[in-house]
Amino acid sequence: MSETPGFTEISDQAAYADAVQTAVAAAAAYYGEGDSGLDDDAFDRLVRGIAAYEAEHPDHVLPDSPTGKVAGGAVVGDVPHTVPMLSLDNVFSAEGLESWAAGLERRIGRPVEQWSVEPKLDGLAISARYREGRLVQLVTRGDGVAGEDVSHGIGMIAGLPGRLAEPVTVELRGEVLMTHAQFEDANTARTGAGYPAFANPRSAAAGSLRARDRDYQVEMTFFAYGALPLDGVVTELASLPHSEIMARIAGWGAHTSATTPVAGITCKQITEAQDQVAAIAGLRAGLEFGIDGIVIKADLAADQEQAGNSSRAPRWAIAYKLPATEKITRLLEVEWNVGRTGIIAPRAVLDPVEVDGSVITYATLHNAGDIARRDLKIGDHVTVYKAGDVIPRIEAPVVHLRTGAETPIPIPESCPRCGDEIDDSQKRWRCAKGRACHAIASVRYAVGRGQLDIEGLGENRIDQLVQAGLITDFADLFTLERDPLLELERMGETSTDNLLAAIEGAKAKELNKVFCALGIRGTGSSMSRRIARHFATMDAIRAADIDAFQEVDGVGPERAGVLVEEIAELAPLIDKLVAAGVNMTEPGATRPATPGSSTTGSSTTGSSTTGTVEGEEPAESDTGALPLSGMSVVVTGSMTGPLAELSRNEVNELIERAGGRSSSSVSARTSLLVAGEKAGSKKAKAEKLGVEITTPEEFADRVKDHL
Ligand code: IVH
């Protein structure tokens, strides 16, 4: 876990005064309109720098200083809170958590009876007042003593029902945020209505909650993290453990983190809380909403009461802060790259910035429409977001930091690779030449490991074949003749004969490899194996419609649509492969008895129209007798023992030979995780979800008959 982060060095009183002014302005923006020019990390560093300077110069502390104040002293609102809405103190490491817990136990003079551990939601605090079960008022935190009435937000916030399941009079406290999907929708609606995009989900929630009249709709989500008695109505709430209060809140119908993969837990030892911190941190990247830490609370009311509160924060709770996943940097330029399928994809080049331990230089921009919708400009300050393995993405420009020197992003008018026309009929633009635009890349992919695996065909050789006009796609490889090859530079007799032999050998590859070689968007080795096993012949694949594809494990309507569309587009290439005598059947696979899936392919090689592929026995996997039958298996970390030499693709093939389905991400549907050395977040997630975890050695033993 992270060390305590650094702080901004402040050398003299003038720098200190500047720093206070910057921090106060940033806090006001953060808690007000929500568009701060500093990212969270920079703000925290600045406030720590101010605190360090004040510790050294206690006589020079300015009254405006944000230190020790809830919301950094940014004051908004005039509705007094029933009980002050406090902030939380922070720790940044396991040692920090341990020493905080030890300090708390010293203070109360006994061990804390039970801890509760839950996510720290990255939104803004809200108090929701319910009278006899009806939601009557929403108030922001403000300065912690009084907040702003934002009751106009009632009805815009999912998880905050207008009426609770019981007629209780109670104040719920929690966080309002935008999920990633809500943020995307909000920015689409906002920019569509002619306003600048929100910089990030947090400021989007803050801005949306405070805006009274807007001509576009947005939705937010509430997560309760506490409840208090209201209007002096006597309830037992004050004496219940925090975990019990959370269960009550959920029972009343308000949203809590209990329904998410990072539901709160209770535990007896602070070391167990530490394990849960690691588990939540591991799950962070896959969550639908932002978290910026984990909150550890003494669970029992008696422990809380005895610990009490400071003016700023309770002494019985602490925030274990996670590193920021969002930073502000500059958009320097946009590159347009043509992929092997002819898709023209924009990529943002950023002023390098460190986010959560790695330096980000590029971020995905999806398509031209996306750039226009986000109103991005070269030179903009942009918020960039990265979580775990996710490709970094630009969230939005920080519009109020514009100087006027920003320039529009040049949008290509012709294919940046070949100069041909652009087909802009779809969201993702494509060169009108399609795959032919970047033939070298698509042939390279087709002959690569995991596909046709033809040795002796590196990028230079393919380039040479394309330049000489001998091939335009990978099907042409199978009709290459010896003499024209011998005329090429650096092609002696031996290398020519070796190459032709390797190409001849590739004709016998299983259907799944041939299908994978087609390079259909979003269809890699594992999906190709599933499709080939399901349909058994290329004819059956070509005859399949969207419904038929959706019968394949892991194929939804969108992917099925892409498959149908691309297979139709690839018909001339497939015909050439068939004519060249390339195998079009999957050994051991059985055709589905789907009504109406008649064969319409132009020609067939060795495939029967129904039942088992000629000359093959039905696969054992269809009998359910295999060791991994019906199991979804994920592999992570580096493999050891008998699996050490296998590529990840080969391990996935092994899983499928043994009757299982290989998957790349851990979910509640995962049956088994094979965790090798240096397994990281997938292991943490599997532990959290109670998924069976095995070592590569144990796994190899389980599937030894199929190795
Ligand atoms: S407990 C008196 N629990 O973080 C206890 N706060 O940085 C105070 N927050 O003001 C809050 N998730 O707005 C608590 N699970 C959680 C939380 C949480 C997010 C916010 C809350 C608080 C801020 C402190």
Side-chain angles (χ1 to χ4, degrees):
M1 286 284 154
S2 60
E3 293 298 305
T4 307
F7 55 84
T8 310
E9 292 275 357
I10 296 173
S11 52
D12 56 24
Q13 188 67 16
Y16 166 72
D18 273 356
V20 168
Q21 203 183 352
T22 309
V24 167
Y30 186 89
Y31 292 97
E33 285 311 306
D35 262 345
S36 167
L38 294 182
D39 55 46
D40 286 5
D41 233 20
F43 179 76
D44 288 348
R45 269 199 312 275
L46 186 64
V47 175
R48 277 194 295 273
I50 292 172
Y53 183 85
E54 289 173 351
E56 297 266 307
H57 308 88
D59 298 340
H60 295 109
V61 174
L62 289 169
D64 279 355
S65 170
T67 56
K69 289 184 188 155
V70 170
V75 186
V76 272
D78 53 5
V79 183
H81 288 300
T82 50
V83 172
M85 282 186 88
L86 298 179
S87 191
L88 288 169
D89 288 329
N90 298 322
V91 293
F92 301 92
S93 62
E95 300 72 53
L97 178 61
E98 231 169 83
S99 72
W100 169 77
L104 172 57
E105 294 186 333
R106 269 198 308 278
R107 177 178 282 274
I108 65 173
R110 59 169 185 270
V112 167
E113 175 88 20
Q114 178 159 284
W115 300 100
S116 86
V117 189
E118 61 195 35
K120 182 171 185 304
L121 293 320
D122 191 9
L124 52 145
I126 202 96
S127 138
R129 297 176 179 177
Y130 281 91
R131 294 205 165 86
E132 291 171 3
R134 278 179 183 279
L135 179 55
V136 292
Q137 195 175 29
L138 288 184
V139 186
T140 65
R141 180 167 69 171
D143 66 357
V145 177
E148 189 183 4
D149 189 311
V150 287
S151 303
H152 56 268
I154 294 176
M156 298 186 342
I157 306 169
L160 196 56
R163 209 179 239 276
L164 295 178
E166 286 176 37
V168 281
T169 293
V170 71
E171 181 175 327
L172 299 189
R173 288 191 172 177
E175 205 83 347
V176 170
L177 52 73
M178 277 191 192
T179 63
H180 300 314
Q182 285 171 337
F183 173 65
E184 291 292 321
D185 289 349
N187 263 351
T188 304
R190 184 168 158 89
T191 52
Y195 299 96
F198 289 120
N200 56 45
R202 205 199 155 279
S203 58
S208 303
L209 196 60
R210 298 192 67 232
R212 270 166 209 278
D213 302 305
R214 83 186 64 70
D215 38 15
Y216 57 92
Q217 291 288 317
V218 299
E219 193 187 70
M220 291 168 266
T221 301
F222 176 71
F223 284 82
Y225 55 65
L228 305 167
L230 183 64
D231 298 345
V233 174
V234 182
T235 65
E236 50 181 345
L237 275 181
S239 58
L240 290 178
H242 171 70
S243 51
E244 185 56 35
I245 294 175
M246 295 305 290
R248 294 271 168 108
I249 297 173
W252 292 331
H255 187 227
T256 70
S257 58
T259 53
T260 73
V262 288
I265 61 143
T266 56
C267 57
K268 296 289 177 196
Q269 303 296 330
I270 199 70
T271 48
E272 296 169 67
Q274 177 58 46
D275 292 344
Q276 181 63 4
V277 166
I280 293 181
L283 292 168
R284 184 189 197 188
L287 295 176
E288 278 300 299
F289 49 89
I291 65 171
D292 58 347
I294 293 102
V295 185
I296 298 99
K297 299 174 179 173
D299 196 46
L300 301 197
D303 286 346
Q304 294 181 2
E305 208 173 307
Q306 194 162 348
N309 305 320
S310 76
S311 64
R312 203 188 86 92
R315 295 201 182 88
W316 44 268
I318 196 85
Y320 189 125
K321 291 282 271 188
L322 292 176
T325 48
E326 188 198 76
K327 285 278 176 75
I328 294 176
T329 186
R330 297 290 282 274
L331 172 59
L332 302 180
E333 106 184 73
V334 172
E335 290 175 349
W336 297 81
N337 299 311
V338 184
R340 65 182 156 76
T341 61
I343 297 276
I344 304 169
R347 180 168 84 154
V349 183
L350 305 167
D351 201 356
V353 59
E354 199 198 305
V355 183
D356 192 6
S358 59
V359 175
I360 296 182
T361 317
Y362 299 104
T364 164
L365 278 173
H366 304 293
N367 53 58
D370 193 46
I371 292 175
R373 191 173 58 78
R374 287 164 192 257
D375 180 34
L376 287 168
K377 291 187 163 56
I378 304 285
D380 261 337
H381 283 88
V382 290
T383 40
V384 287
Y385 171 84
K386 179 177 180 289
D389 317 330
V390 181
I391 304 170
R393 63 163 198 259
I394 289 189
E395 287 188 311
V398 186
V399 179
H400 74 278
L401 292 182
R402 280 189 175 153
T403 61
E406 298 75 19
T407 54
I409 292 175
I411 307 289
E413 290 179 354
S414 57
C415 171
R417 187 177 168 81
C418 72
D420 207 324
E421 273 178 33
I422 293 178
D423 171 2
D424 60 2
S425 57
Q426 308 280 324
K427 261 198 207 163
R428 305 186 73 195
W429 290 0
R430 232 180 143 186
C431 172
K433 282 206 190 105
R435 287 178 161 77
C437 173
H438 205 346
I440 297 168
S442 51
V443 175
R444 181 82 204 98
Y445 177 77
V447 301
R449 273 190 88 188
Q451 289 76 251
L452 297 178
D453 200 4
I454 302 178
E455 269 193 40
L457 274 180
E459 196 152 323
N460 291 343
R461 182 69 74 209
I462 295 168
D463 193 17
Q464 195 183 26
L465 294 173
V466 172
Q467 297 305 329
L470 295 180
I471 62 168
T472 55
D473 56 38
F474 78 90
D476 290 337
L477 292 170
F478 295 102
T479 50
L480 277 178
E481 288 180 1
R482 194 165 186 269
D483 287 347
L485 280 178
L486 281 171
E487 279 171 29
L488 298 176
E489 261 180 53
R490 304 186 309 280
M491 274 302 260
E493 298 221 343
T494 316
S495 43
T496 300
D497 291 339
N498 286 346
L499 178 60
L500 287 172
I503 293 172
E504 187 60 28
K507 284 186 184 171
K509 287 276 173 191
E510 308 95 298
L511 174 62
N512 76 76
K513 308 269 185 196
V514 177
F515 185 76
C516 190
L518 296 174
I520 291 171
R521 274 182 283 141
T523 304
S525 311
S526 173
M527 178 55 72
S528 297
R529 280 195 295 275
R530 265 177 270 153
I531 290 173
R533 290 193 69 76
H534 183 83
F535 291 105
T537 71
M538 183 68 93
D539 281 347
I541 294 177
R542 298 178 85 174
D545 59 14
I546 291 187
D547 289 343
F549 272 117
Q550 286 184 74
E551 285 168 22
V552 179
D553 205 6
V555 179
E558 199 169 322
R559 197 193 288 257
V562 172
L563 281 160
V564 170
E565 194 184 300
E566 294 226 346
I567 289 165
E569 181 186 306
L570 288 161
L573 177 70
I574 301 171
D575 285 345
K576 276 208 270 185
L577 292 169
V578 170
V582 174
N583 171 56
M584 291 289 156
T585 63
E586 184 70 355
T590 313
R591 280 283 306 281
T594 334
S597 64
S598 59
T599 45
T600 56
S602 54
S603 59
T604 60
T605 38
S607 63
S608 61
T609 47
T610 54
T612 309
V613 173
E614 264 171 9
E616 298 283 354
E617 289 300 312
E620 245 185 300
S621 61
D622 299 330
T623 69
L626 291 167
L628 304 179
S629 276
M631 293 175 72
S632 170
V633 184
V634 177
V635 179
T636 190
S638 32
M639 293 295 102
T640 43
L643 306 186
E645 296 301 309
L646 301 188
S647 69
R648 190 48 52 88
N649 197 25
E650 286 164 339
V651 177
N652 290 342
E653 284 180 339
L654 171 64
I655 291 167
E656 288 166 28
R657 277 202 304 281
R661 169 160 124 59
S662 60
S663 167
S664 56
S665 57
V666 174
S667 73
R669 287 192 299 277
T670 307
S671 333
L672 179 68
L673 177 78
V674 184
E677 280 171 9
K678 301 204 190 83
S681 62
K682 288 185 190 172
K683 190 170 176 196
K685 187 166 180 183
E687 276 165 359
K688 166 84 185 147
L689 294 170
V691 169
E692 184 188 348
I693 300 175
T694 183
T695 62
E697 288 75 11
E698 282 164 3
F699 181 71
D701 190 46
R702 204 147 151 176
V703 296
K704 58 180 179 301
D705 295 343
H706 303 269
L707 261 171

